[in-house]
């Protein structure tokens, strides 16, 4: 893909605060409504740029942590992002009534 198009798409990813610890599928709804989403011609190109962007962001987080974290807010942001990812991936069962409760409600 064109380097300028990749740059625009990456800017979209940053602006929409795409979570690098999340999956393409989970982050896609954040991107689809924006006209810059269509700057790359194929879905494969979009996904490839997303994966590369996510990998770079993860490496940046690791570098911040291994350098002794001279920026105190960076570790907190990393932890917040990881917690958001964990919380967004947890699926709780929907509440349902048991059959004995249903029978007890009958007149």
């Amino acid at each position: 893909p064109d380097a300028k198009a990749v740059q625009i798409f990456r800017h979209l990813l940053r602006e929409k605060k795409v979570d690098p610890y999340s999956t393409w599928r989970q982050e896609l709804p954040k991107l689809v409504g924006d006209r810059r989403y269509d700057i790359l011609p194929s879905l494969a190109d979009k996904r490839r740029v997303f994966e590369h962007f996510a990998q770079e962001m993860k490496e940046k987080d690791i570098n911040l942590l291994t350098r002794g974290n001279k920026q105190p807010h960076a570790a907190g942001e990393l932890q917040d992002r990881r917690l958001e990812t964990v919380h967004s991936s947890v699926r709780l069962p929907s509440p349902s009534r048991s059959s004995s409760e249903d029978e007890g409600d009958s007149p």
Side-chain angles (χ1 to χ4, degrees):
D2 174 36
K4 182 68 174 170
V6 170
Q7 181 182 11
I8 291 169
F9 194 79
R10 288 176 60 89
H11 182 47
L12 170 65
L13 297 174
R14 274 191 299 278
E15 187 177 294
K16 296 295 182 175
K17 298 181 181 175
V18 166
D19 181 359
Y21 296 95
S22 190
T23 66
W24 166 251
R25 183 174 232 165
Q26 289 172 322
E27 296 299 307
L28 190 57
K30 293 179 182 178
L31 309 173
V32 172
D34 194 295
R35 62 185 175 90
R36 295 171 292 176
Y37 173 77
D38 295 322
I39 195 82
L40 294 174
S42 74
L43 186 58
D45 287 338
K46 294 170 188 168
R47 187 172 185 156
R48 197 171 11 259
V49 171
F50 168 83
E51 296 294 339
H52 190 258
F53 174 83
Q55 185 61 37
E56 286 178 355
M57 295 303 292
K58 290 175 196 175
E59 288 172 4
K60 184 177 177 183
D61 285 345
I62 290 168
N63 288 337
L64 286 173
L65 292 174
T66 57
R67 280 194 314 208
N69 194 18
K70 294 178 182 164
Q71 299 172 340
H73 67 280
E77 289 175 6
L78 172 60
Q79 185 175 5
D80 290 346
R81 245 189 286 163
R82 287 185 177 154
L83 287 173
E84 287 172 9
T85 301
V86 168
H87 290 300
S88 68
S89 63
V90 173
R91 303 284 184 247
L92 298 176
S94 59
S96 63
R97 297 177 3 170
S98 69
S99 59
S100 62
E101 288 177 47
D102 290 339
E103 292 171 6
D105 290 340
S106 302

